[in-house]
Amino acid sequence: SQTIHQWPATLVQPVGSPLSLECTVEGTSNPNLYWYRQAAGRGLQLLFYSVGIGQISSEVPQNLSASRPQDRQFILSSKKLLLSDSGFYLCAWRGTSILTEAFFGQGTRLTVV
Amino acid sequence: AQSVTQPDIHITVSEGASLELRCNYSYGATPYLFWYVQSPGQGLQLLLKYFSGDTLVQGIKGFEAEFKRSQSSFNLRKPSVHWSDAAEYFCAVGYGSSNTGKLIFGQGTTLQVKP
């Protein structure tokens, strides 16, 4: 069966420090991968999605970037964190058919101080 | 542009009462629709989905949803709410072809259940 791993679960980082959040999927190949951010009262905002290795689409201009170095690995990064980067980050995967739902990781709570 | 709207940010119902959470979407073609539930500090769990066919779909935990094309809506319902249903609920719409697979969420509705 397919599983998705996301780590770390919680993270406290100072302003200006770098960020790296990792997400890996098991049990499937060539998934569509997504990074969402959930800020209080703002629902889930799609940040990036990827349909293949090295293929990244950015949905909103921001201080973050994403990379997909391997088929089932999706990384969210920043060179210098801002206070506004605080939030709950969720990774998700979905099959290549549009007739499938997305499966979510457990999320990372990022607090920038 | 494609969008998903959940008009109710917060809803409070009494345990045992019926529930309806609203969802409206904006999309030119037939959408693929989902409802997810999120417990505090957790990821999202799929409740139900609609792709085609019968417009009334059944999901887990006693939830159902009805797709109404004329109203661009996909409202979630439950006949009798349990205290364990308190959570945040998200409506989502899938867009694009199989090789893009964008999935857009509404702002979410927080459900509080009174004893």
Side-chain angles (χ1 to χ4, degrees), chain A:
Chain A
S1 63
Q2 304 91 350
T3 56
I4 180 168
H5 302 281
Q6 186 180 343
W7 68 92
T10 60
L11 191 61
V12 180
Q13 292 284 98
V15 169
S17 63
L19 173 73
S20 181
L21 303 182
E22 189 161 344
C23 173
T24 60
V25 181
E26 297 177 357
T28 187
S29 59
N30 195 32
N32 288 341
L33 296 171
Y34 306 83
W35 278 111
Y36 289 88
R37 177 169 59 201
Q38 187 175 17
R42 296 189 62 185
L44 272 75
Q45 182 184 34
L46 179 61
L47 302 177
F48 301 95
Y49 68 98
S50 171
V51 299
I53 296 174
Q55 300 178 61
I56 308 295
S57 295
S58 175
E59 287 297 296
V60 293
Q62 59 204 311
N63 185 42
L64 302 168
S65 62
S67 61
R68 184 170 178 175
Q70 299 181 47
D71 181 46
R72 290 170 288 178
Q73 184 184 27
F74 204 25
I75 298 171
L76 183 69
S77 304
S78 174
K79 292 182 179 178
K80 291 185 177 182
L81 283 169
L82 306 172
L83 287 174
S84 57
D85 292 323
S86 294
F88 191 54
Y89 289 82
L90 288 158
C91 179
W93 77 270
R94 191 180 182 199
T96 52
S97 168
I98 197 170
L99 301 179
T100 60
E101 65 267 33
F103 298 91
F104 285 81
Q106 290 301 295
T108 296
R109 171 71 61 192
L110 172 66
T111 304
V112 182
V113 296

Side-chain angles (χ1 to χ4, degrees), chain B residues 46-64:
Chain B
L46 181 72
L47 286 175
L48 48 78
K49 58 188 177 185
Y50 171 78
F51 294 141
S52 65
D54 192 347
T55 56
L56 183 64
V57 294
Q58 303 296 321
I60 62 172
K61 305 184 180 185
F63 285 93
E64 66 177 27

